Every structure is written in structure tokens, then in C-alpha cells.
Amino acid sequence: MRLVIAVILTVFSLFGYVTAQTAQKSAKVFVLCYHTFHNEKKSQYNFTPDEFKQHIESIKALGYHFISMDDFLAGKFDYPLNVMITIDDGNATIKNIYNSVLKKNGIMPVFFIYPNIIGKKDYALKFDELVWFKNDGVSFGAHGYFHEYVNQKLYDLSVQRFKDEIYKAKDVLEQKLSIPIKVYAYPFGLYSPITIQHMIIAGYKYAFTINWGYVQTPIDQTKKYEIPRYLVETSSWKSIYETLKKHAVPKNK
Ligand SMILES: [Zn+2]
């Protein structure tokens, strides 16, 4: 009799496990967009290493899992609540938080780079540093070549300049890093229908905006060139945190 009960209990718990796995199929991904990590306040896009550490710790405390761009591209969403950290522009102050905050918490970020400043400006990373980060597991995406407004206005002004922002950015990064560049982040978050057409022709799999919102999986394939991101600024962090908190609260409790 005891054996029968044990078998029944096992079957039920297995059923429960399978159901839980199925229920987790739909996940949420909150993509955060950071810029610089100077030790002093430089702009509304800057967070000191301590402030950034607090962001990561408070996101973790809400029960979020950090995913990489590889997970995103593979559709590997094992948990219902996810955050992906993206850092735009390739600022050298990334080095202030890479080991101490990101690596320490097992987080692999995505760097969206516009090649024109790399190795040219004091404040930017160099190509050999980008290669080092790549070898350490960081993902890369393009972010224009000159960081122009990649929209209809630029296309009308100069088709060549428009194309450089999309194709040259990809070519240069692929050549320098020896990896395929599959994702793009629109500089200033600006794009037009013509931009999306060229994203497709260039072979990008996804393009990221700074439209407020999160990604619900499975990802709507008609919206893959308009992936929302939360632009983290001094003034927006509180609302972003409140949004994350709201979604972290279990329903029916
Ligand atoms: Zn940018």
C-alpha cells in the first residue's frame, strides 16, 4: 500500500514538474541600456561603479536572472524573469565595473559599438581591448559607424552615409573581432521603415531601440527590429526599478 502511495505521489510530482516547465515557456526580458561608469557624476547617463553595483544587487534581490545575448539569440529563456545588460558606445569606463560588478555576478553584457571612436578617442576602448572582452565572453552588436541618426532623414541626405552606419559598422566589427555581428542598436534610438529594410538586407537578426518596454517571449517576429530597451538615466532608474518590482511580485498572492 505504501509503495502504491509513493508511486502515485511520484507521478503527481512529475506531472507538477512538467506543468511548471511548460508554464515557464513564456518569459519576460527587460533589456537595460547603460553608457558610462565614471567615478564622478558626468552626465545623466553616468552611474558610478557603486551606483551600478547597487542596481545589479537590487535587480538580483527581486529574483531576476541575467541572460546574455547568446541566450537571447538562441531563445534560451529558462526563467520567467530576465534582465539583459547592454552598454552602448564603447566607453573606457566599462573597465571600472566589468570585473568588480559584472563578472562577480556572472553577468555577460552586450557592448553596442560604433567603430569610429574605437582606438581614436581617449574616452573610448581600443580594438585590442574589445578583442580581450570578446575572448572573455562579451557579446557585440553594431551601433552605427559614426553614431548618426539612422533614419529616413539621413537616407534622403546621403544614401552612402546611411549605408555606412549599417553595413560598414557591421563589416568593420566583424573584421576586427572575427565574429559575426548579428544585432544592432539604433543610435539615439531613431529609425524609420527604410532602416528596418536595410537591417534585414544586412543580415541583422535583431535591432534594439530605446522604446520603453520589455520583451515577452516567444519574441514577436514582426517586431524583431524594434526590440524595446530601458534607457537607464539618473531620472529613469527609479521608474525602471519600480517596473521590475511590479513584474517580480507573484500574481494571486
Ligand atoms: Zn550611443
Side-chain angles (χ1 to χ4, degrees):
M1 189 60 189
R2 270 190 198 155
L3 182 69
V4 174
I5 290 169
V7 168
I8 289 168
L9 285 177
T10 308
V11 168
F12 267 97
S13 60
L14 275 176
F15 180 73
Y17 175 76
V18 170
T19 315
Q21 291 296 300
T22 315
Q24 280 180 7
K25 254 188 171 174
S26 185
K28 287 170 185 160
V29 186
F30 297 77
V31 187
L32 306 190
C33 167
Y34 283 93
H35 285 83
T36 69
F37 308 94
H38 292 278
N39 284 302
E40 65 282 2
K41 205 75 206 165
K42 289 262 183 185
S43 76
Q44 75 262 37
Y45 304 113
N46 187 74
F47 293 94
T48 67
D50 268 351
E51 286 170 333
F52 183 62
K53 186 170 165 249
Q54 282 162 20
H55 289 193
I56 296 300
E57 281 171 0
S58 55
I59 295 167
K60 267 177 84 175
L62 291 173
Y64 281 81
H65 287 263
F66 291 93
I67 60 165
S68 67
M69 185 57 86
D70 287 346
D71 297 328
F72 190 91
L73 287 167
K76 191 175 175 288
F77 307 110
D78 293 338
Y79 299 93
L81 295 171
N82 306 279
V83 164
M84 185 162 71
I85 301 292
T86 70
I87 305 171
D88 286 10
D89 301 344
N91 193 278
T93 57
I94 286 171
K95 291 186 278 187
N96 294 344
I97 50 92
Y98 184 72
N99 281 317
S100 58
V101 185
L102 293 174
K103 284 299 287 290
K104 203 177 169 194
N105 287 286
I107 300 167
M108 270 303 159
V110 189
F111 293 176
F112 283 111
I113 301 293
Y114 68 104
N116 187 51
I117 56 165
I118 301 302
K120 289 187 198 165
K121 302 282 184 189
D122 288 345
Y123 59 81
L125 291 168
K126 299 175 176 66
F127 274 114
D128 59 351
E129 291 173 321
L130 297 188
V131 170
W132 184 90
F133 281 114
K134 178 206 77 171
N135 290 334
D136 205 48
V138 170
S139 298
F140 285 86
H143 187 47
Y145 187 86
F146 290 104
H147 204 278
E148 297 220 57
Y149 301 100
V150 194
N151 56 9
Q152 185 69 47
K153 204 175 162 190
L154 181 65
Y155 187 86
D156 293 343
L157 193 68
S158 163
V159 173
Q160 191 55 52
R161 272 173 64 186
F162 176 89
K163 285 187 168 176
D164 283 350
E165 291 299 299
I166 295 170
Y167 298 86
K168 191 178 171 187
K170 191 175 194 285
D171 290 346
V172 169
L173 289 175
E174 289 185 339
Q175 199 191 334
K176 296 278 191 184
L177 301 175
S178 313
I179 46 165
I181 296 294
K182 298 175 183 171
V183 291
Y184 194 94
Y186 303 117
F188 313 102
L190 292 176
Y191 59 100
S192 301
I194 186 81
T195 324
I196 295 179
Q197 286 174 32
H198 282 275
M199 284 292 130
I200 297 166
I201 299 167
Y204 289 103
K205 302 258 183 284
Y206 291 102
F208 292 76
T209 67
I210 45 170
N211 299 335
W212 183 272
Y214 61 89
V215 181
Q216 181 85 55
T217 73
I219 299 167
D220 179 353
Q221 293 301 297
T222 66
K223 294 274 183 239
K224 57 197 243 182
Y225 298 103
E226 294 173 272
I227 302 290
R229 286 195 299 170
Y230 295 91
L231 175 60
V232 191
E233 299 175 77
T234 314
S235 57
S236 67
W237 166 246
K238 199 168 177 283
S239 326
I240 294 167
Y241 176 74
E242 288 304 322
T243 305
L244 291 169
K245 195 174 161 188
K246 194 178 79 191
H247 287 274
V249 175
K251 288 193 178 94
N252 310 320
K253 270 192 182 173

